[in-house]
């Protein structure tokens, strides 16, 4: 897929448009990158503390499985049939669904004041970023988060 994408013009698109945009307007993209990184770090830490690294990586031993009980055990029984490292896709999914709620907070702190005032609503808020996430970005970011998480 990557070879077809690069051969099909993806490399040219990234080199000519996406890369220069990110270099020139990195301060506009920074709040979104920090929100995504924060959400991913949070979910990875929570899941690793709750399930353990062995479970997250898909290398579940019988000894580890015997120490886990309750609803987590029933969930893990579903995944025991395969050695798929399901921690990455779960983190990707949770990050994709929750990072958008952090966008207004990080934009308020990281955008230059003139950009913040230009893009904030009349009441001075950035709640429209959450609406944008829920209505436009989430349908795209959820499948991307799942696939990217599987790649990790």
């Amino acid at each position: 897929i990557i070879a077809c994408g690069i051969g099909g013009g993806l490399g040219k698109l990234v080199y000519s448009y996406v890369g220069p945009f990110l270099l020139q307007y990195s301060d506009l993209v920074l709040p979104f990158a920090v929100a995504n990184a924060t959400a991913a770090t949070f979910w990875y830490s929570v899941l690793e503390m709750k399930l353990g690294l062995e479970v997250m990586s898909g290398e579940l031993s019988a000894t580890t499985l015997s120490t886990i009980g309750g609803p987590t055990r029933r969930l893990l029984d579903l995944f025991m049939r395969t050695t798929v490292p399901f921690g990455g896709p779960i983190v990707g999914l949770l990050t994709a669904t929750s990072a958008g709620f952090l966008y207004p907070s990080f934009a308020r702190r990281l955008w230059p004041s003139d950009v913040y005032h230009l893009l904030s609503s009349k009441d001075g808020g950035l709640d429209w970023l959450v609406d944008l996430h829920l209505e436009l970005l989430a349908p795209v970011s959820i499948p991307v988060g799942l696939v990217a998480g599987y790649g990790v």
Side-chain angles (χ1 to χ4, degrees):
I1 293 177
I2 293 173
C4 292
I6 292 173
L10 182 62
K12 175 73 173 164
L13 177 70
V14 170
Y15 181 75
S16 297
Y17 298 102
V18 176
F21 174 81
L22 291 176
L23 287 173
Q24 188 171 4
Y25 300 108
S26 59
D27 55 341
L28 294 178
V29 182
L30 181 64
F32 307 111
V34 172
N36 289 341
T38 303
T41 302
F42 171 78
W43 288 119
Y44 188 88
S45 300
V46 166
L47 288 172
E48 187 176 341
M49 284 188 337
K50 177 71 176 155
L51 301 176
L53 184 60
E54 198 175 310
V55 174
M56 297 276 290
S57 66
E59 299 172 5
L60 201 57
S61 68
T63 309
T64 305
L65 188 61
S66 66
T67 62
I68 300 171
T72 306
R73 171 64 187 257
R74 287 190 291 276
L75 176 66
L76 292 176
D77 284 338
L78 293 173
F79 291 104
M80 275 303 291
R81 298 184 186 115
T82 181
T83 58
V84 172
F86 67 94
I90 291 174
V91 170
L93 174 71
L94 291 171
T95 299
T97 56
S98 63
F101 297 102
L102 300 174
Y103 291 166
S105 175
F106 283 110
R108 192 174 302 111
R109 290 174 176 81
L110 298 173
W111 272 344
S113 62
D114 56 341
V115 173
Y116 175 78
H117 292 300
L118 177 69
L119 295 176
S120 62
S121 61
K122 291 180 182 177
D123 63 354
L126 293 170
D127 295 334
W128 63 270
L129 285 173
V130 174
D131 294 335
L132 176 73
H133 169 72
L134 291 174
E135 305 217 4
L136 180 67
L137 301 177
V140 174
S141 63
I142 289 173
V144 169
L146 282 169
V147 173
Y150 183 73
V152 173

